[in-house]
Amino acid sequence: MFTNRVRPRRGRLGAASVVCALLALTGCSSSSGSSSSTAPASTPPGTTASGAARIVIKDFLFSPASLTVAPGTVVTVVNEDKTPHTATDAEGKAFDTGTIAGGKSATFKAPATAGSYSYICSIHQYMKGTLTVR
Ligand SMILES: [Cu+2]
């Protein structure tokens, strides 16, 4: 009987400590968010600094669907499907991997001119991606 009365009280204490922990977490994240404004931005987000980039084709999708690279970056396209695919500039002939057999990879060189290039798989033209050069 006595122990039955104690148990619910412990449960309430446990819940209260969880709330305290959550409050501490939110307090912590808000303070770190304000301090990040002072940090210098060295590289724009989404830009590869190393000069190499990678696109993976899986389940008839380009991943990432949108990639930003520096002009002239060598981009490796990995085909993880069993079906052949390509990564082909949709508007001009700025780049084209040619047919990449299933399980294989190919490379192309990003255009030297900055801009946004939409590309497709020339075999499955509903497959779309965007390569941004800047
Ligand atoms: Cu394809």
Side-chain angles (χ1 to χ4, degrees):
M1 286 294 269
F2 182 72
T3 49
N4 281 347
R5 276 179 145 187
V6 173
R7 268 180 200 155
R9 221 180 264 167
R10 273 190 186 162
R12 254 178 241 143
L13 276 172
S17 63
V18 167
V19 171
C20 284
L22 284 172
L23 285 171
L25 278 173
T26 46
C28 183
S29 64
S30 63
S31 63
S32 68
S34 60
S35 68
S36 70
S37 58
T38 55
S42 50
T43 46
T47 303
T48 49
S50 61
R54 206 170 117 106
I55 295 166
V56 174
I57 303 172
K58 197 175 182 188
D59 298 329
F60 294 78
L61 289 169
F62 294 111
S63 177
S66 180
L67 180 70
T68 301
V69 296
T73 300
V74 175
V75 181
T76 303
V77 183
V78 182
N79 181 5
E80 293 191 354
D81 278 345
K82 289 174 180 169
T83 312
H85 294 296
T86 80
T88 306
D89 178 20
E91 282 136 41
K93 279 283 159 216
F95 58 88
D96 185 3
T97 60
T99 303
I100 312 167
K104 302 286 183 185
S105 63
T107 59
F108 69 86
K109 205 169 188 182
T113 310
S116 185
Y117 298 82
S118 47
Y119 65 91
I120 57 167
C121 169
S122 64
I123 303 165
H124 317 98
Q125 300 197 356
Y126 55 88
M127 291 173 60
K128 289 185 168 76
T130 304
L131 183 79
T132 303
V133 175
R134 69 179 175 203

